[in-house]
Amino acid sequence: MTTAADIMHPGAQWIPAHETLDRAAQLMRTLNVGALPISDENERLCGILTDRDIVVGCVAMGHDPAKTTAGEMAKGTPRWIDAGADVGEVLEEMQSHQIRRLPVIDNKRLVGMISEADLAKHLSEDQIATWVESVYAKG
């Protein structure tokens, strides 16, 4: 059985909710990623911050990324998957919530992220086609 841990990109890092968006952008650049899970003071997932969130939700709105925190950008209920979950559960979670990045949690700790690139490396063409159709479908 292929699990979330088998297909994830290991070594994901949190951005604490109190950190500013300019710091988040710097961390994204350093890590060469487009999204960071946001953690609360107990290192529990409280959201996901994307590069698009910073640009559209902060900069384009005339806000200062040096004064806006990651926690202020966290919206909705964050989605995640257990490291031991079957790849079918991963696909279901991402498809049903139309999300492109999924944090992987093991024993209440962040251990990795699953992105489109990770799926492309590990799934069949048919699985990818079904995933793309459902995640990118306009609802």
Side-chain angles (χ1 to χ4, degrees):
M1 167 178 86
T2 303
T3 66
D6 295 329
I7 66 171
M8 73 180 188
H9 180 83
Q13 291 186 26
W14 298 110
I15 186 79
H18 63 81
E19 285 286 357
T20 59
L21 298 185
D22 61 342
R23 175 67 186 115
Q26 292 163 2
L27 185 57
M28 286 180 186
R29 180 188 63 216
T30 298
L31 298 173
N32 194 29
V33 297
L36 294 169
I38 304 169
S39 70
D40 65 14
E41 62 279 353
N42 298 314
E43 289 195 352
R44 303 290 297 260
L45 182 66
C46 64
I48 300 280
L49 178 67
T50 67
D51 47 7
R52 187 176 194 286
D53 293 333
I54 295 171
V55 172
V56 175
C58 179
V59 177
M61 299 298 287
H63 302 292
D64 184 351
K67 295 180 181 172
T68 306
T69 67
E72 291 174 78
M73 300 300 290
K75 296 179 181 85
T77 303
R79 308 307 308 180
W80 57 274
I81 197 82
D82 185 85
D86 179 81
V87 70
E89 294 173 72
V90 171
L91 292 172
E92 174 60 30
E93 183 69 17
M94 294 176 85
Q95 289 169 320
S96 65
H97 297 285
Q98 293 187 305
I99 55 177
R100 298 175 214 161
R101 299 172 181 102
L102 188 62
V104 180
I105 307 292
D106 187 23
N107 201 23
K108 299 183 182 179
R109 296 287 176 226
L110 177 70
V111 294
M113 289 279 282
I114 297 174
S115 68
E116 296 165 292
D118 299 314
L119 294 178
K121 290 178 197 173
H122 294 92
L123 302 178
S124 71
E125 287 184 25
D126 288 342
Q127 287 174 307
I128 291 293
T130 300
W131 181 83
V132 166
E133 184 178 317
S134 64
V135 170
Y136 287 97
K138 299 293 180 198

